[in-house]
């Protein structure tokens, strides 16, 4: 298994030692050095250029370096649900997804396992684009391990104002780290490249989830993205927010978006030069959340 010393894979840089015989156990992300996976299956609810007609080959990892209070995958990110896998078993899962027709291999929440994934993808390629689907709260050290191994970056960009990053994700200097990470992702992959079927083969697709009561923050972030990344990224603006996890402890976000909030953001997008996708408000439904019952997790270690 991949082991690292003094972990710096995310901006928290908790420094947990992860070497054979000296794995200190969980870092801030709740994980040790060995990867835990909760699901490996085709997923049809990503953006059209990711899911296509045949589905995206998603691998959902456990733990999380961001720890958002409203996370819809709470059982994975906060409670660590998952089964331990080896480099070889993860490669077998990827191969199985490709055999099922997956357009790509979509590594969901991979940040804290970057060293493990770098080992997995060294001397091995699945034959379809590799997608790095993350919170956007990345360190340059972690992203450096993925250079040349990732074809498509699919990061969130959650907040413009660090007040909200601290309140809802306990993430210091979120904007600074996310902005640096996005620049590095674009540097590694270049401008978006789609094939003849409209499937993203290379590049960066940025996701932004609009939070209830925070449309001002969304508009500020979208203005910034337009000023700095028009023509360099694709954008996906999502309105699927549904209260999960600990959202009931934060009354201002313990609800879905109003029609007015949705219209305010969509109208602003109409005048912007950024290209990509705008999600329908009707997508705010629990039916789109995957079943984390270890589907497709083969060769797991106990």
């Amino acid at each position: 298994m991949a082991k690292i010393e003094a972990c710096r894979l995310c901006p928290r840089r908790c420094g947990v030692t992860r070497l054979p015989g000296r794995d200190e156990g969980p870092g801030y992300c709740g994980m040790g050095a060995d990867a835990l996976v909760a699901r490996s299956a085709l997923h049809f609810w990503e953006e059209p250029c990711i899911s296509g007609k045949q589905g995206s080959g998603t691998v959902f990892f456990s733990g999380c370096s961001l720890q958002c209070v409203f996370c819809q995958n709470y059982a994975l990110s906060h409670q660590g649900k998952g089964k331990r896998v080896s480099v070889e078993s993860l490669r077998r899962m990827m191969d199985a997804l490709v055999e099922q027709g997956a357009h790509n291999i979509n590594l969901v929440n991979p940040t804290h396992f970057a060293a493990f994934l770098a080992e997995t993808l060294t001397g091995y390629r699945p034959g379809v684009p590799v997608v790095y689907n993350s919170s956007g709260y990345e360190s340059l050290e972690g992203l450096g391990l993925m250079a040349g191994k990732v074809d498509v970056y699919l990061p969130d960009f959650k907040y413009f104002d660090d007040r909200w990053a601290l309140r809802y994700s306990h993430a210091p200097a979120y904007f600074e780290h996310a902005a640096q990470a996005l620049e590095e992702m674009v540097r590694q992959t270049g401008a978006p490249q789609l094939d003849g079927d409209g499937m993203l083969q290379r590049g960066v697709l940025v996701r932004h989830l609009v939070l209830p009561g925070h449309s001002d923050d969304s508009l500020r972030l979208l203005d910034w993205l337009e000023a700095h990344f028009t023509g360099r990224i694709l954008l996906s603006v999502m309105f699927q927010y549904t209260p999960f996890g600990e959202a009931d402890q934060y009354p201002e976000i313990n609800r879905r978006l109003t029609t007015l909030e949705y219209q305010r953001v969509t109208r602003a997008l109409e005048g912007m030069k950024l290209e990509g996708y705008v999600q329908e408000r009707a997508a705010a439904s629990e039916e789109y959340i995957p079943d984390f019952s270890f589907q497709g997790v083969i060769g797991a270690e106990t």
Side-chain angles (χ1 to χ4, degrees), residues 218-219 222-223 226 235 267-275:
S218 291
L219 294 177
L222 294 172
D223 283 342
E226 180 182 36
L235 174 69
R267 286 170 181 168
L269 285 167
E270 291 174 0
M272 291 186 173
K273 299 176 182 177
L274 292 163
E275 296 183 359

Side-chain angles (χ1 to χ4, degrees), residues 212-234:
H214 292 78
S215 56
D216 283 345
D217 194 62
S218 291
L219 294 177
R220 293 175 69 192
L221 176 60
L222 294 172
D223 283 342
W224 181 83
L225 288 171
E226 180 182 36
H228 292 83
F229 289 96
T230 294
R232 304 171 66 199
I233 63 169
L234 294 175

Side-chain angles (χ1 to χ4, degrees), residues 102-173:
H103 291 290
N104 45 60
I105 296 298
N106 189 344
L107 307 172
V108 184
N109 196 19
T111 303
H112 45 297
F113 293 131
F116 178 90
L117 293 171
E119 181 178 345
T120 301
L121 295 168
T122 296
Y124 164 84
R125 298 294 292 179
V128 293
V130 173
V131 179
Y132 188 93
N133 183 343
S134 83
S135 71
Y137 194 55
E138 302 281 347
S139 72
L140 296 182
E141 293 95 326
L143 290 177
L145 294 176
M146 307 314 299
K149 298 177 174 62
V150 167
D151 303 291
V152 174
Y153 281 103
L154 187 58
D156 291 340
F157 208 128
K158 294 181 180 292
Y159 313 102
F160 185 85
D161 192 324
D162 281 343
R163 287 181 298 167
W164 312 129
L166 285 169
R167 179 163 174 77
Y168 304 129
S169 300
H170 316 298

